[in-house]
Amino acid sequence: MSELSRRQFLKSGLASSLLLFNGCSLWPQRSTAKAHVIIVGGGFGGATAAKYLRLFSPNLKITLIEPKSRYLACPGSNGVFAGITSLEQLSTDYQHLRQRHRINLISDSVSSIKPQQRQVELSGGNRLSYDRLILSPGIAFRWDTIDGYSQSLSEQFPHAWQAGQQTLLLNDQLQNLPDNGTVLICPPADPYRCPPGPYERASLMAYWLKRHKPRAKILILDPKRSFSKQALFESGWKQHYGYGTANSLIEWHSLADNPIVALDAAGKTVITAFGDRCRGDVINLIPPQTAGSIALDSGLADQSGWCPVNPISSESSISRFIHVIGDAAYFNPIPKSAFAANSEAKMCALALSCLFNETELPSPSWINTCYSLITADQAISVSHSYRLSEARSLAKAQISGGVSSKTDHESLTLEAGYAQAAYRQLLEDSFY
Ligand SMILES: Cc1cc2nc3c(=O)[nH]c(=O)nc-3n(C[C@H](O)[C@H](O)[C@H](O)COP(=O)(O)OP(=O)(O)OC[C@H]3O[C@@H](n4cnc5c(N)ncnc54)[C@H](O)[C@@H]3O)c2cc1C
């Protein structure tokens, strides 16, 4: 590396942040043996990190550890409730990562991390050593926050916040709802995976109910005072589901001052802090969340339950040589979404390859775009890009993105088409 480019690298945010955390111990690695990067979790974050690391650094040894042979994506999973999506359509495998990008795939889960030895231990008993570890384990649920609710009761009161059996279970309950029955959707407080998800879910359930059980009702019992894309959702609900009238299919209630604290499972009733009770024929209880268990158990989360990182490199603020991306990491104000996980993964891959290749890191930026369906063929969106502020923390870039500016029929229909295209492109970019 020439003196000039080395100086440029050192001036760049990446160098200062990495050196700040790692001292100079990085530099001796550069021309020695092939570095080994282990990635834990093959979701949007982990798959993208594996692929882009390979594209940026053809000679690295890259191992992806994921227990499932097929990944079931959550984006699009609310479409199951409208009858417009099947689980099969949400499923993808890892053969392109393995064959096209030469990723060493291990079908197992990581049971523990030994940061001192820079090793991970697998459930199958093997140990693997890494130079750098990227963790993208997604979320875990905080089962202890609603009295009377538990993981086993989620078989009766599904959260459907991880796509799969839970989605099918909730859909089954929706289909068997009494004609004039009530569905309760109980979202968690911020931050959680996919902030607009509960409201898209209400929209697509209402889409189905309108056609099959028009006397039914969905009550959203929300611990927040407001929610993502609220004005756009409410406008769509007025247009399609009678929102604001006595016969509305959807009602939204803010319980910010009186949140749900307990579940009476036998009575199919949720109970608020002041003792108010609300019965539902179907209860979609979405518990508060934390970083995935492996991150929590390895002590990589702080008291918030999420993993603090240096945004430039995604390196953990708690443990050196470990990088955390996706839902598990604290990248506030970037929301927890598949698009954001994909963007964080690319920045992390770029930072690591600049580090291994001793090249300059361009000024980092991140992007999030989130489409939500209001009906089977109408959508709304929000999009923002993020940069480092002068104080070197993450901030929304000025004059970037925003929410859908038009709500006429034609514009929302066009947006539904863009949503499909964006999702296909995201999947392609992450797994192919
Ligand atoms: C209903 C719903 C709708 C959504 N819609 C959208 C949308 O429209 N657009 C959008 O951008 N986002 C959407 N999201 C959010 C999106 O699904 C997540 O933000 C995204 O999946 C995060 O990616 P991730 O890689 O961090 O975690 P995940 O996708 O959860 O992947 C984590 C992976 O890690 C693996 N893993 C966990 N622990 C271990 C271990 N110990 N060892 C090895 N592997 C492990 C898991 O098996 C899993 O495959 C939605 C979410 C929900 C619930």
Side-chain angles (χ1 to χ4, degrees):
M1 190 183 227
S2 73
E3 197 42 44
L4 179 62
S5 58
R6 187 180 175 97
R7 262 207 316 276
Q8 283 168 335
F9 179 78
L10 288 170
K11 267 169 61 189
S12 79
L14 173 68
S16 49
S17 67
L18 290 176
L19 291 177
L20 193 67
F21 285 107
N22 299 334
C24 290
S25 57
L26 292 166
W27 296 106
Q29 283 179 10
R30 64 190 173 197
S31 58
T32 52
K34 221 182 203 183
H36 185 201
V37 179
I38 293 184
I39 300 163
V40 181
F44 282 99
T48 307
K51 170 178 164 179
Y52 274 82
L53 258 182
R54 170 61 72 235
L55 295 177
F56 294 145
S57 295
N59 295 325
L60 273 183
K61 183 176 174 198
I62 305 169
T63 301
L64 174 63
I65 304 172
E66 163 64 50
K68 298 184 224 121
S69 58
R70 294 191 74 81
Y71 178 69
L72 267 183
C74 286
S77 64
N78 282 329
V80 171
F81 307 117
I84 57 173
T85 312
S86 68
L87 284 193
E88 185 49 37
Q89 289 170 289
L90 304 172
S91 160
T92 189
D93 66 23
Y94 296 99
Q95 62 159 318
H96 290 91
L97 287 181
R98 197 200 300 261
Q99 288 165 9
R100 187 180 296 169
H101 302 294
R102 293 179 290 115
I103 305 299
N104 175 31
L105 195 74
I106 297 184
S107 189
D108 203 338
S109 56
V110 170
S111 54
S112 68
I113 300 171
K114 317 270 176 221
Q116 298 302 326
Q117 295 96 322
R118 288 206 237 168
Q119 286 186 336
V120 294
E121 197 163 74
L122 307 187
S123 301
N126 286 343
R127 274 190 182 214
L128 297 175
S129 298
Y130 60 82
D131 295 294
R132 293 273 163 176
L133 182 69
I134 300 178
L135 270 189
S136 188
I139 54 161
F141 295 108
R142 295 185 57 192
W143 298 109
D144 56 346
T145 48
I146 299 169
D147 215 24
Y149 191 48
S150 63
Q151 184 164 8
S152 60
L153 275 174
S154 69
E155 299 298 311
Q156 215 179 316
F157 304 99
H159 51 75
W161 221 239
Q162 281 162 331
Q165 277 311 310
Q166 280 276 312
T167 317
L168 295 180
L169 189 59
L170 183 57
N171 192 41
D172 213 40
Q173 294 186 353
L174 184 71
Q175 310 253 318
N176 291 305
L177 187 75
D179 281 348
N180 60 350
T182 303
V183 180
L184 306 184
I185 298 181
C186 310
D190 288 324
Y192 61 96
R193 153 179 284 187
C194 195
Y199 315 99
E200 181 190 60
R201 176 168 291 176
S203 309
L204 293 181
M205 282 183 164
Y207 176 83
W208 187 84
L209 290 174
K210 187 174 170 178
R211 279 148 189 81
H212 300 279
K213 297 175 194 265
R215 289 165 55 222
K217 201 174 265 303
I218 299 166
L219 304 184
I220 307 172
L221 304 180
D222 208 326
K224 301 186 287 298
R225 289 185 201 285
S226 59
F227 59 89
S228 172
K229 295 183 270 191
Q230 180 162 358
L232 289 170
F233 272 112
E234 289 182 331
S235 152
W237 294 345
K238 274 185 194 145
Q239 225 173 315
H240 297 283
Y241 308 123
Y243 188 63
T245 68
N247 293 326
S248 177
L249 273 163
I250 301 176
E251 286 180 18
W252 177 73
H253 299 274
S254 169
L255 302 184
D257 298 319
N258 183 20
I260 292 167
V261 293
L263 171 74
D264 166 6
K268 287 188 154 184
T269 298
V270 292
I271 305 164
T272 69
F274 294 156
D276 297 325
R277 301 171 72 87
C278 185
R279 190 184 173 283
D281 298 290
V282 171
I283 304 183
N284 174 211
L285 203 43
I286 307 166
Q289 295 149 32
T290 63
S293 313
I294 185 65
L296 283 192
D297 298 346
S298 309
L300 294 166
D302 63 16
Q303 66 284 359
S304 70
W306 305 102
C307 301
V309 295
N310 172 353
I312 302 169
S313 59
S314 309
E315 189 169 25
S316 161
S317 317
I318 293 175
S319 195
R320 293 171 60 190
F321 307 110
I322 298 179
H323 302 249
V324 191
I325 55 173
D327 287 354
Y330 189 83
F331 269 93
N332 196 42
I334 305 180
K336 296 183 184 300
S337 76
F339 271 87
N342 169 275
S343 185
E344 290 154 17
K346 288 178 190 167
M347 270 314 304
C348 176
L350 184 60
L352 280 185
S353 64
C354 284
L355 178 73
F356 290 127
N357 300 330
E358 296 186 4
T359 50
E360 184 181 351
L361 180 77
S363 175
S365 67
W366 299 260
I367 190 158
N368 180 54
T369 303
C370 188
Y371 288 93
S372 303
L373 288 174
I374 299 280
T375 68
D377 51 14
Q378 300 217 325
I380 54 176
S381 65
V382 59
S383 175
H384 279 292
S385 56
Y386 300 82
R387 294 188 172 282
L388 285 181
S389 70
E390 280 181 12
R392 306 192 72 67
S393 60
L394 276 172
K396 258 184 202 167
Q398 297 297 320
I399 1 173
S400 86
V403 294
S404 313
S405 57
K406 294 187 177 167
T407 54
D408 59 282
H409 182 86
E410 196 186 350
S411 303
L412 297 188
T413 308
L414 275 175
E415 287 230 54
Y418 301 151
Q420 272 195 6
Y423 176 65
R424 274 200 305 274
Q425 195 257 333
L426 175 69
L427 208 61
E428 181 90 16
D429 193 40
S430 305
F431 292 89
Y432 287 80

